[in-house]
Amino acid sequence: MLLLALCVPLVTAQGSGEGLTIGFSQIGSESAWRTAFTEAVKAEAEARGINLLFSDAQQSQENQIAAIRAWLAQGDVDAIVLAPVIESGWDDVLQEAADSGVPVIIVDRNVDSDPSLFVTRVSSDFVHEGRLAAVWLAQATSGNCNIVELYGTVGSAAAEDRHTGFMQVIDLFANMNIIHSETGNFVRTEGKAVMESILSSEDPANICAVFAHNDDMAIGAIEAIKEAGLVPAQDILIVSVDAIPDIFDSLDAGETNATVELSPFMGGPAFDAVVAHLAGEELPKWIPVGGGLYTSRAAYDADHQ
């Protein structure tokens, strides 16, 4: 019941955007989820007849700012969709877009700029995702667990908010504690390396669970746990975020326990927001995209038929 109470509403805005030219600045391709997100946005744009100008920033804010300034200088974009690599440092370029009359829609991660500088943000509720993971873990362990946290990119909204939501729940339990928290930057190989380091310094018997800020780091941790001679999902519980195909393979193999869905389908509501804004509609500053927690492929498939 607690999981159901934490659900968020789905986006219902409508609009096609046919004929519009929209610049999309993507963070990069650091994870399978990020790649799925990019492909979903491209497919949505093609289906709507939108001319999508795509830029892969390769994890660099400087690259993102350069791409936005290039689009503004060319003067041929109707709007910009920005998935920001980090929260801070966007004020100047967002002001330049506003001065040029080009609306900006923020997707996925957040920015800490004045909300007047962008139209709206389309995203999952990262705090909610952290809470869901923590609620599942509290229920699975009866509130007794020493946790390894594999942090996402420090300074990113996804990492900071998932940590905040997770802590909001486990702080309610005196015997739930994070004993290690290190960044793996949302990357599988880094998640594995961090877990290997922790297992070399910490008695595995003292580790109850891993909370990974994304599935890729969780899969890296699973590899490290197996190489250490332990059984993932049994000796050490695994809960993460994204719901990528690989994590369901791990669920099928009994090597992970739960994943919180981060929907990659944000292109539709982002384009809807562009169309609505250009039509003069007032939009909320946040348009949430919902997702649930899954412990099996069958449950996920049932929700996505």
Side-chain angles (χ1 to χ4, degrees):
M1 293 299 292
L2 182 53
L3 295 179
L4 292 174
L6 291 169
C7 287
V8 293
L10 295 173
V11 175
T12 57
Q14 301 295 319
S16 67
E18 183 175 4
L20 294 177
T21 295
I22 298 176
F24 173 39
S25 176
Q26 175 62 286
I27 292 168
S29 54
E30 77 281 1
S31 66
W33 182 87
R34 184 68 55 191
T35 300
F37 175 25
T38 295
E39 295 306 314
V41 171
K42 289 180 176 178
E44 184 72 25
E46 182 177 1
R48 290 169 178 247
I50 291 172
N51 176 31
L52 189 72
L53 307 179
F54 176 72
S55 175
D56 181 340
Q58 301 180 356
Q59 310 294 317
S60 166
Q61 184 185 39
E62 289 74 17
N63 288 345
Q64 293 197 288
I65 291 173
I68 292 170
R69 284 179 171 153
W71 290 327
L72 295 176
Q74 292 164 9
D76 59 354
V77 290
D78 298 293
I80 290 171
V81 175
L82 168 64
V85 63
I86 59 174
E87 287 188 317
S88 60
W90 299 101
D91 293 4
D92 290 346
V93 74
L94 291 180
Q95 185 63 61
E96 291 166 29
D99 293 343
S100 299
V102 176
V104 176
I105 309 296
I106 306 297
V107 293
D108 187 26
R109 301 179 186 177
N110 205 359
V111 298
D112 63 5
S113 299
D114 188 318
S116 67
L117 295 178
F118 58 90
V119 174
T120 188
R121 175 184 174 220
V122 175
S123 74
S124 295
D125 184 339
F126 299 139
V127 175
H128 169 76
E129 292 167 353
R131 290 178 188 145
L132 277 181
V135 167
W136 176 85
L137 190 57
Q139 292 176 332
T141 64
S142 300
N144 293 280
C145 192
N146 286 332
I147 304 157
V148 168
E149 180 184 38
L150 296 180
Y151 219 92
T153 301
V154 175
S156 69
E160 305 304 330
D161 288 356
R162 284 170 189 160
H163 173 77
T164 296
F166 192 79
M167 295 303 297
Q168 286 174 352
V169 174
I170 71 166
D171 279 347
L172 301 175
F173 299 87
N175 294 320
M176 294 189 78
N177 301 289
I178 292 179
I179 58 173
H180 291 279
S181 180
E182 298 183 30
T183 181
N185 286 310
F186 293 122
V187 176
R188 189 173 302 194
T189 54
E190 293 191 37
K192 180 181 179 182
V194 169
M195 196 66 203
E196 287 174 339
S197 175
I198 291 171
L199 288 172
S200 69
S201 62
E202 179 71 51
D203 182 354
N206 194 41
I207 302 173
C208 161
V210 169
F211 166 49
H213 287 193
N214 77 344
D215 289 341
D216 277 276
M217 292 191 296
I219 291 169
I222 289 167
E223 293 174 1
I225 291 167
K226 291 166 65 176
E227 290 176 7
L230 302 167
V231 181
Q234 295 182 34
D235 294 330
I236 298 175
L237 303 179
I238 311 287
V239 59
S240 54
V241 182
D242 275 356
I244 64 173
D246 284 359
I247 206 69
F248 288 105
D249 291 342
S250 293
L251 279 167
D252 290 344
E255 294 180 345
T256 192
N257 301 97
T259 184
V260 179
E261 180 186 22
L262 172 61
S263 173
F265 300 106
M266 300 184 202
F271 297 147
D272 286 342
V274 170
V275 172
H277 175 76
L278 294 177
E281 294 183 26
E282 290 291 330
L283 297 173
K285 280 298 177 183
W286 181 38
I287 299 174
V289 180
L293 181 142
Y294 295 96
T295 57
S296 72
R297 186 190 297 270
Y300 178 85
D301 289 345
D303 281 353
H304 295 79
Q305 289 181 340

